[in-house]
Amino acid sequence: STRRDDGGGTTTGRGSIVQDMKRTTSQLLPIITSHKHVRDTTILFMLYHSCLAASQLTILPLILTSPPPSGLSLAATAVGSVYVGMSLCQVMTSPVVGQFIDRVGKPPAMILGSAVLSGSMIALPLAVTATTAADATAATMSAMDYNDVNTMMISGVLAAWVLGSSA
């Protein structure tokens, strides 16, 4: 069956995804093209979420699962634990980040969030490399100190990653 308008702006019946996309695009394009602020914010929003998806879904798992010196060689359950931890941090920091966004505005917050996310994307491989390079000096440090430094360094970078992706 096809979609039809019931007079109140809602549709009934089943339509294809392509029809839904065309209808949505036809409604959004006039708004985006006629309002510069909406257009600029929409473009920034799309770029930000493209960066976020690329980093969360490709770069992070590659770093977490690759063997040393370029990765942490984590098992699947450990990678899942990292994502769970990051998700919990994001849930806990969202109210504070939301208040910050309300205070400074969405475009500046997205720019800052993108900068923090980009910085953490650069810092994570450096932290992992520093962690694996420190293996050579681990003999001179106690095991507890060595593990604490590594965990704190990588956790700090992942915390920045979470804050950047929350904006």
Side-chain angles (χ1 to χ4, degrees), residues 42-93:
T42 303
I43 290 169
L44 185 60
F45 186 77
M46 289 175 9
L47 291 172
Y48 171 76
H49 280 284
S50 297
C51 174
L52 179 61
S55 63
Q56 295 278 92
L57 301 176
T58 57
I59 296 170
L60 185 58
L62 286 173
I63 291 172
L64 295 175
T65 59
S66 295
S70 61
L72 295 174
S73 194
L74 298 179
T77 53
V79 172
S81 297
V82 169
Y83 274 96
V84 166
M86 290 175 72
S87 297
L88 288 174
C89 289
Q90 192 163 17
V91 166
M92 293 184 328
T93 60

Side-chain angles (χ1 to χ4, degrees), residues 70-138:
S70 61
L72 295 174
S73 194
L74 298 179
T77 53
V79 172
S81 297
V82 169
Y83 274 96
V84 166
M86 290 175 72
S87 297
L88 288 174
C89 289
Q90 192 163 17
V91 166
M92 293 184 328
T93 60
S94 288
V96 175
V97 172
Q99 289 174 349
F100 173 76
I101 292 170
D102 289 343
R103 193 173 328 119
V104 300
K106 193 148 183 97
M110 289 190 321
I111 291 169
L112 180 61
S114 296
V116 170
L117 181 60
S118 298
S120 62
M121 288 171 60
I122 293 167
L124 186 60
L126 296 175
V128 168
T129 303
T131 297
T132 55
D135 284 341
T137 61

Side-chain angles (χ1 to χ4, degrees), residues 1-4 11-20 23:
S1 91
T2 60
R3 288 189 169 274
R4 61 183 164 76
T11 56
T12 58
R14 295 186 57 161
S16 72
I17 293 173
V18 174
Q19 290 172 332
D20 290 341
R23 192 182 79 237

